Amino acid sequence: MVAKKTRGRQNIEMKKIENEDDRMMTFSKRRSGIYKKASELVTLTGAEIGIVLFSLSGKPFTFGHPSLEAVANRFLGSNQQHPNDNTHPLVEIHRRVRINELNQQHNELLRRLDKEKAREKILRQPRKGKETQPPRRETPVDELNHQELLQMDVAVDDLHKTFLAKLKEKIVVASSYMAHPMYFRH
């Protein structure tokens, strides 16, 4: 059995994260998670949502449906429309339907992205029978030791033999097609 490289999902103690880099990373990931959940809630229920977050540096981040301003005005009891907003009700309905469609597309893309990330994780795991092959090297050749150079030489020889065998197969197949009378029309 292969040992786990990560600790996976765990309940973490709710206290301030001391390391500033970790704190910023957590803020970014959790902010994205909140936006995703808010978008899902809008799609599922048609709710109107407004979220305002301030980063550690004071930068504001917002999410609103139909807009943060509309939600804030509704919350404050000000249902006034903006002076420049003389949108016909049918246009507004069409706009809301389109926003819902875009939210659904967005959620579907997020779902597919999560699925692809899971697929990538699986593909990055070593396959059975491949454990004996040396890992691909990113190290420049001039930095390899003698043993690593010998291993690379064997791997290159094997690759060359495989390449020549495949090339020979292709040549045989191509020459059999070329010998066919259909190819000798004038």
Side-chain angles (χ1 to χ4, degrees), residues 126-155:
R127 293 181 293 195
K128 291 182 181 175
K130 297 286 185 177
E131 290 86 5
T132 58
Q133 289 186 345
R136 295 179 75 181
R137 299 229 177 246
E138 300 297 327
T139 308
V141 174
D142 58 342
E143 293 178 17
L144 298 177
N145 66 32
H146 181 72
Q147 184 62 33
E148 291 170 324
L149 286 170
L150 290 175
Q151 288 175 347
M152 186 175 277
D153 184 48
V154 169

mmCIF file of all heavy atoms in Angstrom, residues 126-155:
data_model
loop_
_atom_site.group_PDB
_atom_site.id
_atom_site.type_symbol
_atom_site.label_atom_id
_atom_site.label_comp_id
_atom_site.label_asym_id
_atom_site.label_seq_id
_atom_site.Cartn_x
_atom_site.Cartn_y
_atom_site.Cartn_z
ATOM 1 N N PRO A 126 1.599 6.938 -10.088
ATOM 2 C CA PRO A 126 2.355 5.949 -10.877
ATOM 3 C C PRO A 126 1.480 4.738 -11.186
ATOM 4 O O PRO A 126 0.685 4.304 -10.360
ATOM 5 C CB PRO A 126 3.522 5.568 -9.955
ATOM 6 C CG PRO A 126 3.143 6.034 -8.602
ATOM 7 C CD PRO A 126 2.120 7.122 -8.762
ATOM 8 N N ARG A 127 1.612 4.258 -12.419
ATOM 9 C CA ARG A 127 0.845 3.084 -12.836
ATOM 10 C C ARG A 127 1.598 1.827 -12.456
ATOM 11 O O ARG A 127 2.824 1.809 -12.415
ATOM 12 C CB ARG A 127 0.615 3.126 -14.349
ATOM 13 C CG ARG A 127 -0.305 4.266 -14.749
ATOM 14 C CD ARG A 127 -0.519 4.254 -16.210
ATOM 15 N NE ARG A 127 0.768 4.589 -16.848
ATOM 16 C CZ ARG A 127 0.892 4.931 -18.089
ATOM 17 N NH1 ARG A 127 -0.140 4.987 -18.868
ATOM 18 N NH2 ARG A 127 2.059 5.218 -18.594
ATOM 19 N N LYS A 128 0.841 0.755 -12.183
ATOM 20 C CA LYS A 128 1.458 -0.529 -11.840
ATOM 21 C C LYS A 128 2.290 -1.003 -13.024
ATOM 22 O O LYS A 128 1.872 -0.901 -14.170
ATOM 23 C CB LYS A 128 0.383 -1.549 -11.497
ATOM 24 C CG LYS A 128 -0.322 -1.221 -10.208
ATOM 25 C CD LYS A 128 -1.353 -2.259 -9.857
ATOM 26 C CE LYS A 128 -2.031 -1.841 -8.559
ATOM 27 N NZ LYS A 128 -3.108 -2.703 -8.198
ATOM 28 N N GLY A 129 3.474 -1.510 -12.727
ATOM 29 C CA GLY A 129 4.369 -1.988 -13.783
ATOM 30 C C GLY A 129 5.311 -0.905 -14.274
ATOM 31 O O GLY A 129 6.275 -1.174 -14.943
ATOM 32 N N LYS A 130 5.024 0.334 -13.946
ATOM 33 C CA LYS A 130 5.881 1.433 -14.388
ATOM 34 C C LYS A 130 6.828 1.877 -13.274
ATOM 35 O O LYS A 130 7.658 2.742 -13.480
ATOM 36 C CB LYS A 130 5.031 2.651 -14.815
ATOM 37 C CG LYS A 130 4.139 2.389 -15.998
ATOM 38 C CD LYS A 130 4.938 2.338 -17.257
ATOM 39 C CE LYS A 130 4.030 2.208 -18.461
ATOM 40 N NZ LYS A 130 4.741 2.225 -19.701
ATOM 41 N N GLU A 131 6.686 1.287 -12.064
ATOM 42 C CA GLU A 131 7.494 1.710 -10.933
ATOM 43 C C GLU A 131 8.986 1.466 -11.166
ATOM 44 O O GLU A 131 9.829 2.121 -10.585
ATOM 45 C CB GLU A 131 7.058 1.001 -9.638
ATOM 46 C CG GLU A 131 5.709 1.432 -9.119
ATOM 47 C CD GLU A 131 4.553 0.656 -9.738
ATOM 48 O OE1 GLU A 131 4.798 -0.292 -10.504
ATOM 49 O OE2 GLU A 131 3.400 1.014 -9.466
ATOM 50 N N THR A 132 9.319 0.482 -12.010
ATOM 51 C CA THR A 132 10.710 0.141 -12.234
ATOM 52 C C THR A 132 11.399 1.124 -13.167
ATOM 53 O O THR A 132 12.613 1.185 -13.211
ATOM 54 C CB THR A 132 10.837 -1.276 -12.814
ATOM 55 O OG1 THR A 132 10.091 -1.341 -14.034
ATOM 56 C CG2 THR A 132 10.323 -2.318 -11.835
ATOM 57 N N GLN A 133 10.637 1.873 -13.927
ATOM 58 C CA GLN A 133 11.239 2.843 -14.826
ATOM 59 C C GLN A 133 11.711 4.055 -14.032
ATOM 60 O O GLN A 133 11.036 4.492 -13.094
ATOM 61 C CB GLN A 133 10.240 3.314 -15.878
ATOM 62 C CG GLN A 133 9.903 2.269 -16.895
ATOM 63 C CD GLN A 133 9.021 2.848 -17.978
ATOM 64 O OE1 GLN A 133 8.454 3.920 -17.829
ATOM 65 N NE2 GLN A 133 8.908 2.136 -19.067
ATOM 66 N N PRO A 134 12.861 4.602 -14.380
ATOM 67 C CA PRO A 134 13.319 5.797 -13.670
ATOM 68 C C PRO A 134 12.372 6.965 -13.980
ATOM 69 O O PRO A 134 11.811 7.046 -15.071
ATOM 70 C CB PRO A 134 14.717 6.045 -14.251
ATOM 71 C CG PRO A 134 14.742 5.324 -15.549
ATOM 72 C CD PRO A 134 13.775 4.190 -15.428
ATOM 73 N N PRO A 135 12.175 7.850 -13.016
ATOM 74 C CA PRO A 135 11.288 8.993 -13.265
ATOM 75 C C PRO A 135 11.890 9.914 -14.318
ATOM 76 O O PRO A 135 13.097 9.940 -14.523
ATOM 77 C CB PRO A 135 11.219 9.686 -11.899
ATOM 78 C CG PRO A 135 12.443 9.241 -11.178
ATOM 79 C CD PRO A 135 12.776 7.875 -11.712
ATOM 80 N N ARG A 136 11.030 10.657 -14.983
ATOM 81 C CA ARG A 136 11.507 11.625 -15.969
ATOM 82 C C ARG A 136 12.312 12.686 -15.239
ATOM 83 O O ARG A 136 11.965 13.131 -14.159
ATOM 84 C CB ARG A 136 10.325 12.261 -16.691
ATOM 85 C CG ARG A 136 9.569 11.242 -17.520
ATOM 86 C CD ARG A 136 8.411 11.867 -18.180
ATOM 87 N NE ARG A 136 8.875 12.669 -19.286
ATOM 88 C CZ ARG A 136 8.076 13.372 -20.057
ATOM 89 N NH1 ARG A 136 6.797 13.376 -19.854
ATOM 90 N NH2 ARG A 136 8.546 14.076 -21.047
ATOM 91 N N ARG A 137 13.366 13.083 -15.843
ATOM 92 C CA ARG A 137 14.283 14.013 -15.184
ATOM 93 C C ARG A 137 14.075 15.433 -15.697
ATOM 94 O O ARG A 137 13.965 15.656 -16.889
ATOM 95 C CB ARG A 137 15.715 13.595 -15.444
ATOM 96 C CG ARG A 137 16.010 12.217 -14.915
ATOM 97 C CD ARG A 137 17.263 12.281 -14.112
ATOM 98 N NE ARG A 137 17.537 10.991 -13.535
ATOM 99 C CZ ARG A 137 17.511 10.781 -12.244
ATOM 100 N NH1 ARG A 137 17.226 11.736 -11.422
ATOM 101 N NH2 ARG A 137 17.804 9.583 -11.772
ATOM 102 N N GLU A 138 14.078 16.325 -14.769
ATOM 103 C CA GLU A 138 14.049 17.740 -15.114
ATOM 104 C C GLU A 138 15.441 18.345 -14.889
ATOM 105 O O GLU A 138 15.684 19.477 -15.224
ATOM 106 C CB GLU A 138 13.015 18.479 -14.240
ATOM 107 C CG GLU A 138 11.594 17.957 -14.382
ATOM 108 C CD GLU A 138 11.029 18.128 -15.773
ATOM 109 O OE1 GLU A 138 11.368 19.116 -16.453
ATOM 110 O OE2 GLU A 138 10.262 17.264 -16.217
ATOM 111 N N THR A 139 16.333 17.558 -14.287
ATOM 112 C CA THR A 139 17.684 18.009 -13.989
ATOM 113 C C THR A 139 18.498 18.074 -15.276
ATOM 114 O O THR A 139 18.450 17.137 -16.079
ATOM 115 C CB THR A 139 18.359 17.031 -13.001
ATOM 116 O OG1 THR A 139 17.512 16.844 -11.890
ATOM 117 C CG2 THR A 139 19.706 17.537 -12.545
ATOM 118 N N PRO A 140 19.258 19.141 -15.487
ATOM 119 C CA PRO A 140 20.128 19.198 -16.666
ATOM 120 C C PRO A 140 21.116 18.028 -16.667
ATOM 121 O O PRO A 140 21.579 17.589 -15.616
ATOM 122 C CB PRO A 140 20.870 20.530 -16.513
ATOM 123 C CG PRO A 140 20.001 21.346 -15.609
ATOM 124 C CD PRO A 140 19.325 20.369 -14.699
ATOM 125 N N VAL A 141 21.446 17.528 -17.842
ATOM 126 C CA VAL A 141 22.300 16.349 -17.992
ATOM 127 C C VAL A 141 23.655 16.562 -17.318
ATOM 128 O O VAL A 141 24.196 15.654 -16.690
ATOM 129 C CB VAL A 141 22.477 15.992 -19.486
ATOM 130 C CG1 VAL A 141 23.476 14.871 -19.675
ATOM 131 C CG2 VAL A 141 21.146 15.622 -20.095
ATOM 132 N N ASP A 142 24.214 17.759 -17.419
ATOM 133 C CA ASP A 142 25.543 17.985 -16.848
ATOM 134 C C ASP A 142 25.554 17.963 -15.319
ATOM 135 O O ASP A 142 26.614 17.949 -14.704
ATOM 136 C CB ASP A 142 26.150 19.289 -17.371
ATOM 137 C CG ASP A 142 25.303 20.512 -17.073
ATOM 138 O OD1 ASP A 142 24.106 20.341 -16.783
ATOM 139 O OD2 ASP A 142 25.846 21.630 -17.132
ATOM 140 N N GLU A 143 24.374 17.889 -14.697
ATOM 141 C CA GLU A 143 24.310 17.819 -13.240
ATOM 142 C C GLU A 143 24.039 16.394 -12.744
ATOM 143 O O GLU A 143 23.938 16.165 -11.542
ATOM 144 C CB GLU A 143 23.219 18.761 -12.714
ATOM 145 C CG GLU A 143 23.542 20.221 -12.933
ATOM 146 C CD GLU A 143 22.431 21.141 -12.439
ATOM 147 O OE1 GLU A 143 21.567 20.697 -11.661
ATOM 148 O OE2 GLU A 143 22.448 22.324 -12.843
ATOM 149 N N LEU A 144 23.931 15.410 -13.658
ATOM 150 C CA LEU A 144 23.656 14.032 -13.273
ATOM 151 C C LEU A 144 24.950 13.332 -12.845
ATOM 152 O O LEU A 144 26.016 13.595 -13.396
ATOM 153 C CB LEU A 144 23.022 13.268 -14.436
ATOM 154 C CG LEU A 144 21.672 13.781 -14.936
ATOM 155 C CD1 LEU A 144 21.209 12.968 -16.134
ATOM 156 C CD2 LEU A 144 20.630 13.736 -13.836
ATOM 157 N N ASN A 145 24.820 12.404 -11.892
ATOM 158 C CA ASN A 145 25.996 11.620 -11.486
ATOM 159 C C ASN A 145 26.175 10.441 -12.449
ATOM 160 O O ASN A 145 25.348 10.216 -13.341
ATOM 161 C CB ASN A 145 25.886 11.170 -10.020
ATOM 162 C CG ASN A 145 24.751 10.194 -9.781
ATOM 163 O OD1 ASN A 145 24.400 9.392 -10.638
ATOM 164 N ND2 ASN A 145 24.174 10.264 -8.596
ATOM 165 N N HIS A 146 27.230 9.673 -12.237
ATOM 166 C CA HIS A 146 27.570 8.581 -13.154
ATOM 167 C C HIS A 146 26.441 7.544 -13.255
ATOM 168 O O HIS A 146 26.072 7.120 -14.354
ATOM 169 C CB HIS A 146 28.873 7.911 -12.694
ATOM 170 C CG HIS A 146 29.320 6.792 -13.579
ATOM 171 N ND1 HIS A 146 29.836 7.018 -14.839
ATOM 172 C CD2 HIS A 146 29.308 5.444 -13.403
ATOM 173 C CE1 HIS A 146 30.120 5.858 -15.402
ATOM 174 N NE2 HIS A 146 29.823 4.881 -14.549
ATOM 175 N N GLN A 147 25.888 7.130 -12.110
ATOM 176 C CA GLN A 147 24.820 6.118 -12.092
ATOM 177 C C GLN A 147 23.585 6.623 -12.844
ATOM 178 O O GLN A 147 22.959 5.886 -13.611
ATOM 179 C CB GLN A 147 24.455 5.754 -10.646
ATOM 180 C CG GLN A 147 23.427 4.658 -10.530
ATOM 181 C CD GLN A 147 23.901 3.329 -11.117
ATOM 182 O OE1 GLN A 147 25.079 2.994 -11.080
ATOM 183 N NE2 GLN A 147 22.982 2.572 -11.675
ATOM 184 N N GLU A 148 23.222 7.890 -12.628
ATOM 185 C CA GLU A 148 22.056 8.464 -13.301
ATOM 186 C C GLU A 148 22.286 8.542 -14.814
ATOM 187 O O GLU A 148 21.354 8.312 -15.593
ATOM 188 C CB GLU A 148 21.757 9.858 -12.738
ATOM 189 C CG GLU A 148 21.255 9.834 -11.304
ATOM 190 C CD GLU A 148 21.197 11.205 -10.672
ATOM 191 O OE1 GLU A 148 22.086 12.045 -10.958
ATOM 192 O OE2 GLU A 148 20.268 11.450 -9.879
ATOM 193 N N LEU A 149 23.505 8.845 -15.230
ATOM 194 C CA LEU A 149 23.818 8.883 -16.660
ATOM 195 C C LEU A 149 23.705 7.491 -17.282
ATOM 196 O O LEU A 149 23.204 7.342 -18.404
ATOM 197 C CB LEU A 149 25.222 9.452 -16.891
ATOM 198 C CG LEU A 149 25.362 10.953 -16.687
ATOM 199 C CD1 LEU A 149 26.829 11.355 -16.691
ATOM 200 C CD2 LEU A 149 24.590 11.725 -17.744
ATOM 201 N N LEU A 150 24.158 6.465 -16.551
ATOM 202 C CA LEU A 150 24.039 5.094 -17.067
ATOM 203 C C LEU A 150 22.567 4.700 -17.200
ATOM 204 O O LEU A 150 22.170 4.086 -18.198
ATOM 205 C CB LEU A 150 24.774 4.115 -16.152
ATOM 206 C CG LEU A 150 26.306 4.211 -16.168
ATOM 207 C CD1 LEU A 150 26.907 3.278 -15.118
ATOM 208 C CD2 LEU A 150 26.859 3.906 -17.547
ATOM 209 N N GLN A 151 21.749 5.055 -16.207
ATOM 210 C CA GLN A 151 20.315 4.759 -16.274
ATOM 211 C C GLN A 151 19.671 5.477 -17.458
ATOM 212 O O GLN A 151 18.847 4.910 -18.183
ATOM 213 C CB GLN A 151 19.616 5.186 -14.978
ATOM 214 C CG GLN A 151 19.920 4.310 -13.795
ATOM 215 C CD GLN A 151 19.297 4.839 -12.513
ATOM 216 O OE1 GLN A 151 18.843 5.975 -12.448
ATOM 217 N NE2 GLN A 151 19.272 3.999 -11.487
ATOM 218 N N MET A 152 20.057 6.717 -17.669
ATOM 219 C CA MET A 152 19.498 7.487 -18.783
ATOM 220 C C MET A 152 19.920 6.875 -20.112
ATOM 221 O O MET A 152 19.127 6.805 -21.047
ATOM 222 C CB MET A 152 19.915 8.946 -18.698
ATOM 223 C CG MET A 152 19.232 9.810 -19.755
ATOM 224 S SD MET A 152 19.603 11.546 -19.561
ATOM 225 C CE MET A 152 18.410 11.974 -18.335
ATOM 226 N N ASP A 153 21.164 6.395 -20.205
ATOM 227 C CA ASP A 153 21.658 5.775 -21.428
ATOM 228 C C ASP A 153 20.838 4.534 -21.765
ATOM 229 O O ASP A 153 20.439 4.335 -22.921
ATOM 230 C CB ASP A 153 23.140 5.407 -21.265
ATOM 231 C CG ASP A 153 23.723 4.850 -22.553
ATOM 232 O OD1 ASP A 153 23.514 5.459 -23.621
ATOM 233 O OD2 ASP A 153 24.386 3.786 -22.484
ATOM 234 N N VAL A 154 20.543 3.704 -20.762
ATOM 235 C CA VAL A 154 19.727 2.510 -20.975
ATOM 236 C C VAL A 154 18.322 2.909 -21.431
ATOM 237 O O VAL A 154 17.762 2.326 -22.372
ATOM 238 C CB VAL A 154 19.670 1.655 -19.683
ATOM 239 C CG1 VAL A 154 18.627 0.561 -19.797
ATOM 240 C CG2 VAL A 154 21.047 1.071 -19.383
ATOM 241 N N ALA A 155 17.755 3.921 -20.787
ATOM 242 C CA ALA A 155 16.410 4.366 -21.143
ATOM 243 C C ALA A 155 16.367 4.904 -22.576
ATOM 244 O O ALA A 155 15.425 4.635 -23.329
ATOM 245 C CB ALA A 155 15.935 5.436 -20.161
#
